[in-house]
């Protein structure tokens, strides 16, 4: 195992806590990924110290979730979430515990966690504390709950999606008893906030083994309980490679032609705009019949969307969305076209609306937008050079203005 830099950087924090008489361990996904020799971006720390005690030990803290035991410690310009050992009372609406109780026992803390592969703790000497055979499950590539699966999923239905997400990311199989409990409790995800579902779904769709996980999503009738998706026949869709949530939604809206507002998914404006652009690009794919139309496509949608469509070629084709052949539409050709475009946006035109009105002695009106678009396309398709004199002459010869 390689000792990951995030652990090395965080060890002084754990030692500082220990020096003051408390226990402190790494825990969760970072320990799992350490055992699997996977890349680690951040670490979670658990401790016997209470939130008040953690605040007293460090000079720069942020009480991000103090009532639930979590304090953010800023250490050498990095943020570390430190959570007190805790147990949880009954859960409300399959979402959150009614209250938490701080404890001093590591076993009681990891006992409440979701899956055995995430319930392993590790100290500063890289000794492992594995009470639920998580290492065995990692070696056997199995996702299994800590304790009875019906208890874990009835407490928090989000764990069902998380289990599927780990399958997508790790390629593990889900233990048969665990999967049966997922089937029994899948409808409980309707109690979750859409924000929590979307956060997990984004990670799930980007998993290397999405092809396996999406089969389980279909089998569990997962989509039936999620807004927007419950209006679409989602079982018709397959994914064989990682895909962003935005691209996934764009494909489903394009193929299903369901006129359903995606506002219910509470996505950012940037995500919503991307979905619209990607879907419109899919609509325009059939218009690419020659080099000129390919130049126009790349110009209209930009290099990012054009490349994203090429990168998603196999996912698109397995969902019966055809693209131009790879010899006529590929990453290197798209990049070449983008760099060769005489303009990359309308602002680069050597004439504007005001100048057109003056030259043609016409007041503003709907004609102006159309003429500017005609000029734009003519320049992109090399029918005229982007010089004001040539553009004016081209307009007079080629554009009928009523």
């Amino acid at each position: 195992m390689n000792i990951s830099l995030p652990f090395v950087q965080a060890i002084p924090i754990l030692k500082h806590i220990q020096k003051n008489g408390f226990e402190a361990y790494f825990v969760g996904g970072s320990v799992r990924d350490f055992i699997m020799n996977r890349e680690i971006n951040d670490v979670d720390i658990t401790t016997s110290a209470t939130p008040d005690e953690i605040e007293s030990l460090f000079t720069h803290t942020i009480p991000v979730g103090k009532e639930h035991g979590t304090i953010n410690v800023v250490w050498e310009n990095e943020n570390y979430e430190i959570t007190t050992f805790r147990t949880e009372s009954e859960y409300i609406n399959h979402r959150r515990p009614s209250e938490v109780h701080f404890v001093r026992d590591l076993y009681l803390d990891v006992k409440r966690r979701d899956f055995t592969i995430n319930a392993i703790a590790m100290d500063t000497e890289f000794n492992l504390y594995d009470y639920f055979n998580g290492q065995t499950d990692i070696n056997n590539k199995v996702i299994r709950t800590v304790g009875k699966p019906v208890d874990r999923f009835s407490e928090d239905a989000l764990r069902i999606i998380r289990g599927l997400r780990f399958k997508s990311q790790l390629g593990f199989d889900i233990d048969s008893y665990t999967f049966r409990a997922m089937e029994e409790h899948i409808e409980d995800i309707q109690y979750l906030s859409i924000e929590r579902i979307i956060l997990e779904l984004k990670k799930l769709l980007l998993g290397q083994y999405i092809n396996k996980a999406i089969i389980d999503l279909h089998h569990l009738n997962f989509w039936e309980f999620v807004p927007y998706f419950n209006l679409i026949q989602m079982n018709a869709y397959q994914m064989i490679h990682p895909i962003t949530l935005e691209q996934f939604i764009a494909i489903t809206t394009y193929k299903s032609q369901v006129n359903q507002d995606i506002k219910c998914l509470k996505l950012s404006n940037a995500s919503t705009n991307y979905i619209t652009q990607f879907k419109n690009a899919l609509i325009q794919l059939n218009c690419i019949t020659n080099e000129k139309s390919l130049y126009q496509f790349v110009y209209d949608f930009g290099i990012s969307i054009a490349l994203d469509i090429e990168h998603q070629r196999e996912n698109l084709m397995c969902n019966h969305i055809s693209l131009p052949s790879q010899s006529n539409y590929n990453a290197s050709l798209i990049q070449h076209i983008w760099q060769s475009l005489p303009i990359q946006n309308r602002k680069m035109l050597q004439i504007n609306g005001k100048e057109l009105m003056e030259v043609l002695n016409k007041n503003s009106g709907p004609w102006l937008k159309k003429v500017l678009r005609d000029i734009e396309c003519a320049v992109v398709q090399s029918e005229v050079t982007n010089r004001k004199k040539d553009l004016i002459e081209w307009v007079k010869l080629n554009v009928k203005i009523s």
Side-chain angles (χ1 to χ4, degrees), residues 192-225:
L192 302 172
S193 71
I194 192 62
E195 292 91 343
R196 293 183 82 201
I197 294 174
I198 288 297
L199 189 61
E200 288 297 326
L201 195 53
K202 282 183 175 181
K203 297 174 184 177
L204 186 155
L205 290 167
L206 286 171
Q208 183 181 352
Y209 302 93
I210 178 59
N211 60 318
K212 296 181 178 180
I214 202 160
I215 293 171
D216 286 347
L217 287 171
H218 294 341
H219 177 87
L220 291 168
N221 295 320
F222 165 83
W223 310 105
E224 183 182 333
F225 306 102

Side-chain angles (χ1 to χ4, degrees), residues 8 26 197 260 282 299 313 325 345 347 354-355 393:
V8 174
F26 297 110
I197 294 174
Q260 167 68 1
L282 295 180
Y299 170 80
R313 176 179 287 272
S325 68
N345 58 67
K347 291 180 180 179
K354 182 179 179 182
E355 291 167 330
E393 184 178 346

Side-chain angles (χ1 to χ4, degrees), residues 5 7 51 87 95 117 225 235 297 317 379:
L5 182 61
F7 285 125
T87 59
R95 288 184 292 181
I117 60 175
F225 306 102
N235 286 7
F297 180 88
M317 293 184 71
V379 171

Side-chain angles (χ1 to χ4, degrees), residues 81-135:
E81 284 195 354
I82 302 179
T83 303
T84 302
F85 297 164
R86 70 188 196 192
T87 59
E88 296 167 340
S89 299
E90 251 182 70
Y91 277 65
I92 302 170
N93 289 335
H94 313 282
R95 288 184 292 181
R96 58 181 180 272
S98 54
E99 58 181 331
V100 300
H101 304 283
F102 302 138
V103 296
R104 301 287 190 182
D105 187 338
L106 173 65
Y107 173 81
L108 293 176
D109 181 75
V110 293
K111 182 182 177 183
R112 69 177 173 82
R113 294 178 181 267
D114 53 8
F115 302 103
T116 60
I117 60 175
N118 297 330
I120 307 169
M122 184 171 72
D123 64 23
T124 55
E125 302 300 318
F126 301 95
N127 298 308
L128 298 175
Y129 300 78
D130 181 10
Y131 300 104
F132 303 99
N133 299 314
Q135 292 176 86

Side-chain angles (χ1 to χ4, degrees), residues 260-277:
Q260 167 68 1
D261 198 330
I262 62 173
K263 285 183 181 177
C264 60
L265 298 178
K266 298 186 179 179
L267 303 174
S268 67
N269 289 337
S271 289
T272 301
N273 291 338
Y274 180 93
I275 290 166
T276 301
Q277 280 287 91

Side-chain angles (χ1 to χ4, degrees), residues 311-326:
H311 294 152
Q312 288 299 330
R313 176 179 287 272
E314 291 190 51
N315 277 336
L316 293 170
M317 293 184 71
C318 80
N319 286 288
H320 310 292
I321 301 173
S322 58
L323 282 77
S325 68
Q326 213 151 16

